[in-house]
Structure formats: structure tokens, C-alpha cells
Amino acid sequence: MSSVIEHPLVTEKAMDQMDFDNKLQFIVDIDATKAEITDAIESRYDVSITKVNTQITARGEKKAVVTLSPDDDAQEIASRIGVF
């Protein structure tokens, strides 16, 4: 399961989404499904996810944009992960 999530993505856009939209971004395994991504993040970080969007980046990596439930705070989770 831990092989699904490679690392959190920290860019200016990711920080804006975290601050204003309660979203976190991760680089995930290229073959991971949305259900696998949801299960891995929910169990690893003890959060509830309402939506997962994925895309393949220009570098050939898979990026997952995860929308957290209103009960969870993206900034608190990011600080627990060690993003900042």
C-alpha cells in the first residue's frame, strides 16, 4: 500500500489549493487506480477523501489531486506529513 504514494507534491499551485480548496497533491504510482489512491491516503494519514482527480504529468508521472472532507484540514495534514 505504501508503494502507491510516492511523495507529496509541493508547488505554488499545490499550496494555493491546500490553502483555499482543502486539497492535497501527491505523486503516485503510474498504475494506481483512484480507489487504491483513496484507500492508501485515508489509511496512511487518517483523513476522509471526497474526490480524487488524476493526471499524467509531462514528466510521465501520475499526479493525484485529493479533495479532503470539510472535517479535515489540508494545512494540518500537510504539516503532519512534513510539507512545511
Side-chain angles (χ1 to χ4, degrees):
M1 171 177 29
S2 62
S3 63
V4 172
I5 305 166
E6 294 182 12
H7 57 86
L9 186 63
V10 182
T11 62
E12 190 172 338
K13 183 175 180 178
M15 298 305 273
D16 283 345
Q17 285 186 330
M18 181 180 58
D19 291 339
F20 301 115
D21 299 330
N22 206 31
K23 294 181 180 182
L24 294 173
Q25 293 186 11
F26 296 91
I27 297 296
V28 297
D29 184 79
I30 194 79
D31 296 325
T33 65
K34 290 182 180 183
E36 292 171 341
I37 294 166
T38 301
D39 292 342
I41 293 173
E42 283 183 340
S43 64
R44 188 180 217 181
Y45 301 117
D46 192 32
V47 295
S48 297
I49 295 174
T50 57
K51 188 175 183 181
V52 176
N53 291 325
T54 59
Q55 72 182 68
I56 305 298
T57 66
R59 293 181 169 180
E61 299 173 318
K62 190 172 201 174
K63 177 172 75 171
V65 179
V66 178
T67 305
L68 301 177
S69 72
D71 298 334
D72 297 307
D73 182 28
Q75 290 181 340
E76 190 269 323
I77 302 300
S79 66
R80 196 168 15 141
I81 293 170
V83 171
F84 52 76

